[in-house]
Amino acid sequence: MGITNGAMKPSRLFSAGWQAVMEGIGHWTLPAWAVLGPGRLAPRWLWVGSVDCAEHQEPPGKKLLSEKKLKRHFVDRRRLLVRGGRGGDGLSCFHSEPRKEFGGPDGGDGGSGGHVILRVDRQVKSLSSVQSQYQGFDGEDGGRKNCFGRNGAVLYIRVPMGTLVKEGNKVLADLSRPGDEYIAALGGAGGKGNRFFLANDNRAPVTCTPGQPGQERVLFLELKTMAHAGLVGLPNAGKSSLLRAISNAKPAVAAYPFTTLKPHVGIVHYEDHQQVAVADVPGLVRGAHRNRGLGHAFLRHIERCGFLLFVLDLSVPQPWTQLDDLKHELDQYEEGLSSRPHAIIANKIDLPQARANLPELQARLGAKAIALSAATGENLEELLLCLKELHDRHVAAELQQGRQPLRW
């Protein structure tokens, strides 16, 4: 009976009420050897901390964002209100110390307000991190003993490569290189202390001036994706699948048009340590130059590409008409855009209808069309060699014109 009564005491403590209290702190475990029986001792309760339990729990997997949610985070236009820092006020005071009655003016000048500067950062890929308003740091007021106030610190705003800075319809700056900067708003000048106004005819000036407000401007930022090559094609032509096949980029792929809602950039690596950036631009529709279907929002990302890759869907009837439509839209948006160095890619060769259309396509466009399949990887080697050749020509042309080619 002694053993039985002793065993009942801990069991009463472990009641339903105690379970609710201890649930968020830890849990009790009863070892297998501590089972009551004749000649056995009362069980000992073992405490297992919540930290030990957490070591055995696998971290929850990160849920991937859908393409629609990704587009919310990708911003290529931004209205920006910037104000430079205000200058510090000057001080009006006179020097005072024992046995020196007329010490003279010693009020210091105020510090200048800080500038607001746009700076290109290669790690930033979108304007989503740019806020709508920025206020520069103010300068400090002047002090006694002719002490000048500290200038306001410079406020840097990180923007991606390819950012255009506009004021109204006027383009102020094209930030297309790493480290490029543009002063968006100047800081105000600091005020003058009464020491500044000391003159032969005014030995005890009391005049001081306040700091000037910083410059205030309303700017418009517009992002144009920077890449060596741009994939141009109608919706559902297989551009995203092709980018996934030749690079490590992971754009969304699905069997319906307009799967890609924002530009993606993939990097193609070669053995000689060269890197070619390829941009997957959302599909163009007929009438895109008239801003149909967000046409201007898509077309402006093609402007910065040094050469183009026209992707045709070989499985549809008369696929050669797609090339004429694409070139027409590009020329209507910007004259001469379609005449840039380019290659023609006939995608989806793995489908039976595509193989039937291939001979007539080659007869109309010549042997320059590269027939491949992004889904199966068929004939991707020819595309990679052509891409390397186009990139080498682009780099040579940039160096010949005295411009530094884009590096990733």
Side-chain angles (χ1 to χ4, degrees), residues 40-59:
R40 298 289 183 92
L41 296 175
R44 291 187 300 171
W45 298 99
L46 300 181
W47 171 256
V48 180
S50 58
V51 178
D52 298 333
C53 298
E55 293 179 355
H56 301 284
Q57 295 177 357
E58 295 183 359

Side-chain angles (χ1 to χ4, degrees), residues 117-121 124 156-160 175 179-182:
I117 298 180
L118 302 175
R119 174 186 283 179
V120 173
D121 190 342
V124 180
Y156 290 97
I157 305 175
R158 300 189 307 158
V159 296
L175 307 178
D180 284 355
E181 294 183 354
Y182 175 74

Side-chain angles (χ1 to χ4, degrees), residues 95 97 99-105:
H95 183 72
E97 66 177 88
R99 297 180 298 277
K100 192 172 183 180
E101 184 178 359
F102 302 102

Side-chain angles (χ1 to χ4, degrees), residues 90-95 100 102-110 142-148 191-200 202-209:
L91 183 65
S92 177
C93 64
F94 291 87
H95 183 72
K100 192 172 183 180
F102 302 102
D106 69 346
D109 299 344
R144 303 180 65 90
K145 298 183 179 179
N146 200 27
C147 292
F148 286 24
K192 300 298 183 182
N194 63 338
R195 174 78 179 183
F196 177 81
F197 298 97
L198 179 64
N200 291 332
N202 188 6
R203 304 306 300 172
V206 295
T207 305
C208 64
T209 59

Side-chain angles (χ1 to χ4, degrees), residues 230-307:
L231 295 173
V232 184
L234 297 180
N236 209 25
K239 301 182 296 298
S240 299
S241 301
L242 185 59
L243 186 64
R244 292 172 69 103
I246 63 177
S247 70
N248 291 329
K250 301 298 180 185
V253 175
Y256 53 84
F258 293 108
T259 308
T260 301
L261 300 178
K262 72 181 188 69
H264 292 268
V265 178
I267 307 299
V268 182
H269 299 270
Y270 288 92
E271 293 181 354
D272 53 356
H273 303 287
Q274 282 191 354
Q275 296 180 347
V276 180
V278 182
D280 173 22
V281 182
L284 303 179
V285 298
R286 294 177 177 86
H289 67 278
R290 295 191 295 268
N291 207 21
R292 180 184 176 189
L294 296 177
H296 289 175
F298 294 166
L299 283 168
R300 71 166 175 269
H301 292 287
I302 307 176
E303 294 182 38
R304 300 298 182 92
C305 298
F307 49 94

